[in-house]
Amino acid sequence: MTGIETEFTPLMSFAGGVLIGLSAVLLMFFQGRIMGATGILSGLITGGVPGDKSWRAAVVVGMIAGPLVVLALTGQMPAVDVPISLPMIVIGGFIVGIGVTFGSGCTSGHGVCGLARLSPRSFVATLTFMAVAILTVYVIRHVIGA
């Protein structure tokens, strides 16, 4: 059986975590808003509060432009290796969408910002995200054998 092995990248992971944390702090400082990616995108699409679209659009453009910044700095696009099929990605996205709706937020809103604010609801949500992620990886890799 061949296993899927995730590359160990502590420096890149640390840098990414610092940038996510810094962006969350700056958004809270300048806009008084939580940096939950799903809420930001949802507010951009649905309209939300008047005058709210510009900062939401800036965050979404920044997320999309991230790989281009890596390209400009390193001369190559970040490697993205997705070892599953497109239909499985779509199904996974649908399931995540359901979880975000029922969980009233996503991993960035609960896991980054909610935990930083010591929110009990975010603590429970983040534990749930992590437990389901661990269980999913275990089932896919060791039970199904994909």
Side-chain angles (χ1 to χ4, degrees), residues 66-84:
L68 299 176
V69 172
V70 172
L71 175 64
L73 293 174
T74 66
Q76 61 186 10
M77 289 293 281
V80 177
D81 183 25
V82 182
I84 60 172

Side-chain angles (χ1 to χ4, degrees), residues 1-2 7 20 51 65-66 80 96 109 135 139 142-143 145:
M1 177 174 101
T2 60
E7 184 179 352
I20 290 170
V80 177
V96 167
L135 179 64
V139 168
H142 302 289
V143 175

Side-chain angles (χ1 to χ4, degrees), residues 25-126:
V25 168
L26 291 175
L27 184 61
M28 179 61 81
F29 181 77
F30 287 111
Q31 294 293 329
R33 301 302 305 251
I34 299 295
M35 196 185 97
T38 305
I40 291 170
L41 182 60
S42 172
L44 180 62
I45 293 170
T46 62
V49 179
D52 227 14
K53 283 197 173 207
S54 60
W55 73 263
R56 290 177 187 274
V59 171
V60 171
V61 167
M63 288 179 179
I64 294 168
L68 299 176
V69 172
V70 172
L71 175 64
L73 293 174
T74 66
Q76 61 186 10
M77 289 293 281
V80 177
D81 183 25
V82 182
I84 60 172
S85 66
L86 182 58
M88 291 301 286
I89 292 172
V90 171
I91 291 168
F94 181 71
I95 293 169
V96 167
I98 291 170
V100 163
T101 301
F102 287 116
S104 299
C106 60
T107 53
S108 55
H110 284 300
V112 175
C113 299
L115 290 180
R117 294 180 301 117
L118 303 176
S119 165
R121 182 179 80 155
S122 291
F123 181 74
V124 171
T126 303

